[in-house]
């Protein structure tokens, strides 16, 4: 890589953290690095919440405040403002999961509409996000993906899902706020993909407003991207894609084995990396009609994207290219990129503490299972602790 190596600058990476916040981050990642502790902690936390034990204060002051911005939009404002002062934008992510009825789906839609209004007033929030299953039942997406016939009731339910998507995408276009639509399990994704393509065709007429998400640990996603590109050229609309590696690998592999079909997941981490990087290259070669939000904590892929931009003579802040990381992780990537003038956004999860717990547990488990991730965070935090002691 010929790009200057910038990600080892811990002074810039942790410039927003006080000494006590640095110590808390070190303690949390130290705990997360111990797999049995994560398993025990997960069980104990779930039990305590179900038993209504008074542990929300403890969760709030530790893991919640590290990985989440607050309990509501206003609560996140101080975090948003501080990060924007350093050039890092925010994507407010309402991280309440597992809802199942129409009233809750309407409530989630209203929450996203409120965030888009909120974003219109703040340059620091150029992007909104939602999950397809926030707007409709997973089993309904699954039935449509399989091509099964819907009952009259289910057809009406699906029309409600389409209307929720449409309301959000219409508001996003009116407010000139991009909206990222997350990807989920492969067995429901076909229905979501078709619906997002409809929204792109309708609202991406001048530039990408609606972004679909490609999980590049799926070996079919590059081909999917090429097919969508052909459709967009014929339909004369723009494409926006968030590229991620993916978050459901164990679940995907287990289901494929259980049901006896070929897993959609790449056979190795190296093949996933190749696929992700090939996706970046393809989009960068077609920027006339595509934009990318590179959601990655991988240093090599981040350097690759920087190099591709440099090779093509693009400005660091080209509006068609964004880098994204999760709040509470990979600050060495986010803040060092922002310091060099790249477009960077942190996903900031928020919501009531007990409702956000499934998200927080996933983050802890992911950090435990992804090789090297927690070790890298600890090494960087240790380096910054030492640097501050020598000042």
């Amino acid at each position: 890589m010929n790009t200057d190596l910038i990600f080892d600058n811990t002074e810039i990476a942790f410039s927003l953290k006080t000494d006590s916040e640095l110590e808390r981050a070190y303690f949390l990642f130290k705990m997360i690095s111990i797999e049995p502790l994560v398993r025990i902690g997960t069980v104990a936390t779930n039990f305590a919440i179900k038993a209504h034990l008074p542990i929300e204060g403890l969760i709030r002051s530790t893991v919640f405040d590290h990985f989440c911005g607050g309990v509501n939009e206003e609560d996140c404002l101080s975090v948003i403002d501080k990060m924007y002062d350093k050039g890092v934008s925010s994507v407010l992510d309402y991280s309440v999961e597992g809802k199942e009825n129409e009233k809750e789906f309407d409530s989630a839609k209203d929450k996203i509409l409120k965030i888009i209004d909120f974003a219109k007033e703040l340059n620091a929030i150029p992007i909104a996000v939602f999950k397809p299953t926030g707007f409709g039942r997973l089993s309904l997406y699954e039935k449509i993906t399989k091509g099964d016939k819907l009952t009259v009731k289910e057809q009406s339910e699906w029309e409600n899902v389409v209307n929720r998507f449409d309301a959000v995408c219409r508001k996003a276009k009116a407010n000139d706020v991009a909206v990222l639509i997350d990807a989920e399990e492969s067995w429901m994704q076909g229905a979501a993909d078709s619906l997002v393509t409809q929204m792109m065709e309708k609202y991406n007429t001048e530039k990408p407003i609606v972004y679909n998400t490609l999980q590049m640990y799926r070996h079919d996603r590059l081909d999917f991207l090429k097919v969508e590109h052909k459709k967009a050229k014929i339909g004369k609309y723009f494409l926006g894609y968030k590229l991620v590696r993916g978050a459901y690998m164990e679940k995907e592999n287990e289901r494929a084995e259980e049901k006896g079909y070929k897993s959609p997941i790449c056979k190795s981490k190296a093949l996933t990396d190749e696929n992700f990087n090939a996706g970046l290259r393809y989009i960068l070669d077609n920027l006339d009609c595509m934009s990318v939000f590179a959601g990655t904590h991988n240093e090599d892929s981040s350097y690759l994207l920087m190099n591709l931009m440099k090779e093509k003579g693009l400005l660091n802040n080209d509006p068609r290219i964004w880098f994204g990381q999760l709040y509470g992780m990979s600050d060495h990537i986010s803040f060092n990129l922002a310091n060099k003038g790249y477009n960077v956004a942190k996903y900031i999860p928020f919501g009531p503490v007990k409702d956000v717990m499934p998200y927080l547990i996933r983050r802890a488990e992911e950090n435990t299972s992804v090789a090297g991730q927690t070790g890298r965070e600890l090494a960087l935090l240790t380096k910054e602790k030492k640097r501050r002691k020598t000042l």
Side-chain angles (χ1 to χ4, degrees):
M1 296 280 172
N2 60 15
T3 304
D4 296 333
L5 298 175
I6 62 170
F7 297 147
D8 58 355
N9 188 325
T10 59
E11 183 178 1
I12 290 170
F14 301 117
S15 55
L16 287 182
K17 288 204 186 312
T18 63
D19 288 352
S20 63
E21 285 168 341
L22 198 70
E23 289 293 344
R24 181 185 68 190
Y26 179 83
F27 171 77
L28 277 175
F29 281 109
K30 198 80 181 157
M31 294 299 100
I32 288 169
S33 71
I34 305 165
E35 197 173 336
L37 205 59
V38 172
R39 283 202 304 271
I40 293 162
T42 297
V43 172
T45 303
N46 281 332
F47 171 78
I49 286 170
K50 283 173 185 158
H52 304 292
L53 299 177
I55 63 157
E56 283 198 17
L58 175 64
I59 293 168
R60 175 85 211 243
S61 63
T62 53
V63 66
F64 183 93
D65 278 353
H66 181 82
F67 289 112
C68 300
V71 295
N72 55 42
E73 301 92 322
E74 291 76 15
D75 201 18
C76 296
L77 272 175
S78 65
V79 167
I80 291 165
D81 289 343
K82 278 183 203 162
M83 290 205 306
Y84 197 58
D85 283 344
K86 301 288 182 184
V88 176
S89 298
S90 296
V91 181
L92 277 180
D93 183 10
Y94 184 55
S95 296
V96 173
E97 302 180 357
K99 304 303 181 189
E100 276 290 312
N101 64 60
E102 293 294 290
K103 188 179 171 192
E104 287 169 330
F105 297 142
D106 280 334
S107 172
K109 175 211 62 179
D110 291 343
K111 177 64 79 173
I112 306 305
L113 291 173
K114 186 181 173 190
I115 289 170
I116 293 171
D117 275 332
F118 198 64
K120 187 185 179 184
E121 307 303 320
L122 288 170
N123 291 332
I125 311 177
I127 301 165
V129 64
F130 70 89
K131 284 167 79 89
T133 54
F135 287 5
R137 290 185 301 114
L138 185 139
S139 54
L140 186 62
Y141 286 97
E142 186 179 353
K143 197 167 180 181
I144 294 166
T145 299
K146 282 198 310 198
D148 292 351
K149 189 170 167 51
L150 300 184
T151 65
V152 173
K153 183 174 179 295
E154 286 169 336
Q155 190 59 50
S156 165
E157 214 183 322
W158 183 247
E159 282 167 19
N160 290 340
V161 174
V162 174
N163 290 337
R164 290 180 193 112
F165 269 69
D166 193 70
V168 165
C169 295
R170 185 169 63 248
K171 169 73 70 121
K173 178 153 186 175
N175 285 10
D176 197 25
V177 172
V179 60
L180 308 176
I181 300 168
D182 282 340
E184 300 185 63
E185 293 91 341
S186 62
W187 54 92
M188 60 73 69
Q189 193 58 41
D193 285 338
S194 297
L195 185 46
V196 179
T197 297
Q198 281 176 47
M199 296 298 127
M200 286 183 175
E201 202 172 351
K202 190 170 179 181
Y203 295 109
N204 288 2
T205 48
E206 285 97 39
K207 66 174 186 178
I209 287 288
V210 180
Y211 284 63
N212 201 357
T213 299
L214 299 178
Q215 296 168 310
M216 301 309 285
Y217 66 2
R218 283 184 57 176
H219 48 69
D220 63 346
R221 292 295 85 181
L222 191 57
D223 288 338
F224 172 82
L225 173 60
K226 291 173 181 176
V227 169
E228 290 297 300
H229 185 200
K230 281 180 188 162
K231 281 191 215 165
K233 281 199 280 196
I234 294 164
K236 295 184 167 51
Y237 57 92
F238 291 83
L239 295 171
Y241 283 105
K242 180 175 76 162
L243 259 58
V244 298
R245 277 168 170 78
Y248 303 92
M249 187 169 71
E250 284 167 13
K251 192 193 280 192
E252 290 280 0
N253 285 332
E254 280 167 14
R255 187 179 190 269
E257 192 174 336
E258 183 190 313
K259 294 191 177 286
Y261 61 85
K262 185 186 173 189
S263 172
I265 306 299
C266 290
K267 283 191 161 49
S268 68
K269 169 76 165 59
L271 287 171
T272 295
D273 291 342
E274 277 176 34
N275 213 30
F276 185 95
N277 293 342
L280 285 181
R281 288 191 184 94
Y282 189 86
I283 292 174
L284 266 282
D285 283 341
N286 293 285
L287 282 176
D288 58 319
C289 67
M290 288 189 196
S291 294
V292 64
F293 183 99
T296 181
H297 294 212
N298 184 290
E299 293 171 11
D300 289 342
S301 291
S302 301
Y303 281 130
L304 172 67
L305 183 48
M306 292 159 72
N307 279 322
L308 290 171
M309 292 173 73
K310 191 188 278 186
E311 283 166 17
K312 292 177 183 299
L314 302 172
L315 295 173
N316 287 5
N317 65 346
D318 188 298
R320 297 166 295 184
I321 301 164
W322 281 81
F323 295 78
Q325 290 79 41
L326 296 168
Y327 182 66
M329 291 167 65
S330 299
D331 287 346
H332 68 302
I333 294 178
S334 310
F335 288 94
N336 280 304
L337 280 170
N339 187 56
K340 295 289 185 185
Y342 292 93
N343 297 319
V344 184
K346 284 280 205 188
Y347 257 58
I348 302 193
F350 75 96
V353 176
K354 65 176 172 35
D355 289 340
V356 175
M357 278 316 298
Y359 168 85
L360 290 172
I361 287 165
R362 248 207 351 269
R363 282 287 77 81
E365 288 171 346
E366 182 184 290
N367 273 281
T368 305
S369 64
V370 175
Q373 194 156 280
T374 301
R376 182 181 65 183
E377 297 281 356
L378 281 169
L380 290 159
L381 290 161
T382 301
K383 182 180 174 185
E384 178 59 9
K385 280 169 65 178
K386 282 180 185 164
R387 189 195 71 80
R388 292 188 188 186
K389 277 176 190 160
T390 59
L391 290 180

